[in-house]
Amino acid sequence: MRIVLAFDKFKGSATSQQLNDAVQQALSEDPGLSVSTVPIADGGDGTTDVLAACKQGQWVSISVPAPLIVLPPVNARYFLCDDGTALIEVAAASGLVLVPDELRDPFRTSTLGTGLMMRDALERGCRHIVLGMGGSATCDAAMGILCALGVEFFNADGRHLFPCGANLREIAHIETAGIPHEVHECLFTLLADVDNPLCGERGTANVYAPQKGADPEQVRQLELGMRHVAEIVGEEIATTAGCGAAGGIPSLMLHLLNCELLAGAPYVIAHNGMDKAIDHANLIITGEGRLDNQTLMGKGPGHVIKLAHEHNIPVAAICGAIDTDFDPKEAGLLAAIGVSEGLQLEEAMDTTSTLNRVCIAARQLITKLKESSNDAMVK
């Protein structure tokens, strides 16, 4: 039996590579199995690691401002490919995990650190930046990134605006004369892990700002700020799928720079060798931290499931938890197993414990499939 493992991360617990490697080792004890692995990501945390595994190049570390300027600088890293492409994650410099729970405030956080990572890559000769946008602590519509790349924002009185969500409504003039030539020469590929628009009920402020620490009044103000941004760049941006990613990063970047906005999961799958790996596969096993209806709406495992269906390959999922509203059969899954249901948070998030539970589940899944196959042959 030829099996392909295509796990996405279990966020905060285990990476895609850790999951794939552990399960491959666990199944290698069965001589009847041929197991290969393909790491999966969707534009969120871990995307750079997955894409870098398919490239030649080197990791670059740089000290940049934290998402909240009062915090100490962070040591962020990105991957500089030999072909001149830089693989960068918003989460590395402007991630939610970099801000203590009690200080989280998308009114004040900024993507400035991410922009400085980009600036560093450009100064090293990079002319194509692939930006994974998931996991941000920000809601500044890329003001911080753009300031690092030479853009200046002014209010109606001509005062410089600090790049943060609180100042979106104050933007009266955007000065682009300071953008250096290397920025204009660069293509920015923005990978979205969600399809939310910039504004509205499903917009970035209403859906994600509360998760980043915003209170109801701040959510209202941030929504007004995003609507003001839409007035500046064109009303169509308000409803464009994916423009709500990472606190609205695509909105101003698409307006001012040479950018393309793409869904993260299909992009990664197109570059990680998935098509070749599943050739002649008998089973694909995928998974992520939580299996829910969002899984089928832009997440990595959702695209693995879609690809499996297109090639008529059975697919199963092993995840941390399964949402009660998620119907595995309707999703076309052969099986769906949750390995952390009912556990205390500390145990559920422990890496070693998680990997052990996933391996046990994978072995049990294969055993059941073999038994089912034997029963069918007897009948």
Side-chain angles (χ1 to χ4, degrees):
M1 179 185 291
R2 294 172 60 90
I3 300 173
V4 175
L5 306 177
F7 283 95
D8 202 337
K9 64 187 177 299
F10 283 24
K11 191 170 184 178
S13 178
T15 67
S16 170
Q17 195 67 55
Q18 287 174 321
L19 290 158
N20 280 329
D21 289 349
V23 176
Q24 183 180 42
Q25 180 63 33
L27 297 182
S28 67
E29 301 166 7
D30 187 332
L33 302 179
S34 172
V35 184
S36 58
T37 67
V38 182
I40 297 296
D42 55 17
D45 317 39
T47 297
T48 297
D49 288 324
V50 170
L51 290 175
C54 315
K55 300 283 188 177
Q56 297 294 317
Q58 62 180 332
W59 288 99
V60 177
S61 293
I62 176 177
S63 179
V64 296
L68 199 60
I69 204 70
V70 298
L71 294 173
V74 299
N75 187 39
R77 67 172 194 160
Y78 67 91
F79 192 80
L80 187 59
C81 304
D82 290 345
D83 64 5
T85 298
L87 309 175
I88 298 177
E89 282 183 17
V90 172
S94 310
L96 189 61
V97 297
L98 301 174
V99 185
D101 290 356
E102 66 275 12
L103 296 179
R104 291 178 177 178
D105 182 1
F107 224 47
R108 305 297 173 191
T109 48
S110 175
T111 55
L112 181 62
T114 298
L116 290 172
M117 291 176 71
M118 294 180 175
R119 186 70 174 258
D120 185 77
L122 291 166
E123 290 172 353
R124 293 173 186 265
C126 167
R127 292 299 180 266
H128 180 204
I129 291 176
V130 179
L131 182 67
M133 295 189 292
S136 79
T138 58
C139 208
D140 72 352
M143 281 183 75
I145 288 173
L146 291 166
C147 281
L149 299 180
V151 178
E152 295 177 283
F153 295 89
F154 298 90
N155 69 3
D157 296 326
R159 179 175 58 87
H160 270 97
L161 295 173
F162 178 77
C164 64
N167 286 333
L168 289 172
R169 289 188 68 190
E170 299 298 315
I171 299 173
H173 174 65
I174 301 176
E175 179 55 64
T176 60
I179 300 177
H181 67 88
E182 57 262 30
V183 176
H184 288 300
E185 294 171 354
C186 183
L187 169 64
F188 297 86
T189 298
L190 310 180
L191 302 183
D193 63 335
V194 297
D195 62 358
N196 300 72
L198 184 66
C199 304
E201 185 178 343
R202 291 190 65 249
T204 189
N206 284 307
V207 174
Y208 298 112
Q211 301 172 15
K212 302 175 184 183
D215 61 35
E217 176 57 22
Q218 287 179 321
V219 171
R220 190 181 75 84
Q221 292 293 330
L222 288 168
E223 171 67 11
L224 291 173
M226 295 300 169
R227 291 192 178 279
H228 180 60
V229 168
E231 291 173 0
I232 294 171
V233 307
E235 290 293 343
E236 69 282 353
I237 209 76
T239 56
T240 300
C243 275
I249 281 177
S251 57
L252 287 171
M253 288 193 68
L254 286 167
H255 179 60
L256 297 174
L257 304 177
N258 179 25
C259 295
E260 58 179 357
L261 174 61
L262 304 176
Y267 182 91
V268 173
I269 288 174
H271 288 79
N272 68 356
M274 186 73 177
D275 281 334
K276 183 177 180 180
I278 66 174
D279 192 30
H280 303 301
N282 304 114
L283 174 69
I284 299 173
I285 303 176
T286 188
E288 61 180 341
R290 186 172 189 83
L291 206 60
D292 55 29
N293 290 325
Q294 292 294 315
T295 299
L296 304 178
M297 299 174 63
K299 298 300 183 180
H303 282 274
V304 172
I305 293 168
K306 179 182 177 182
L307 192 64
H309 292 167
E310 290 174 353
H311 289 78
N312 295 314
I313 303 170
V315 57
I318 301 173
C319 54
I322 303 173
D323 194 89
T324 54
D325 293 335
F326 183 81
D327 186 342
K329 185 175 292 187
E330 188 175 320
L333 288 168
L334 191 65
I337 305 170
V339 300
S340 300
E341 305 283 1
L343 298 179
Q344 294 294 322
L345 181 62
E346 185 176 351
E347 183 179 2
M349 298 302 289
D350 180 75
T351 300
T352 300
S353 177
T354 296
L355 294 176
N356 286 338
R357 294 193 306 274
V358 172
C359 288
I360 291 170
R363 285 194 290 260
Q364 291 175 341
L365 172 65
I366 298 303
T367 298
K368 288 182 179 179
L369 290 177
K370 285 184 174 180
E371 290 174 351
S372 298
S373 177
N374 289 336
D375 288 345
M377 291 177 65
V378 171
K379 292 176 182 179

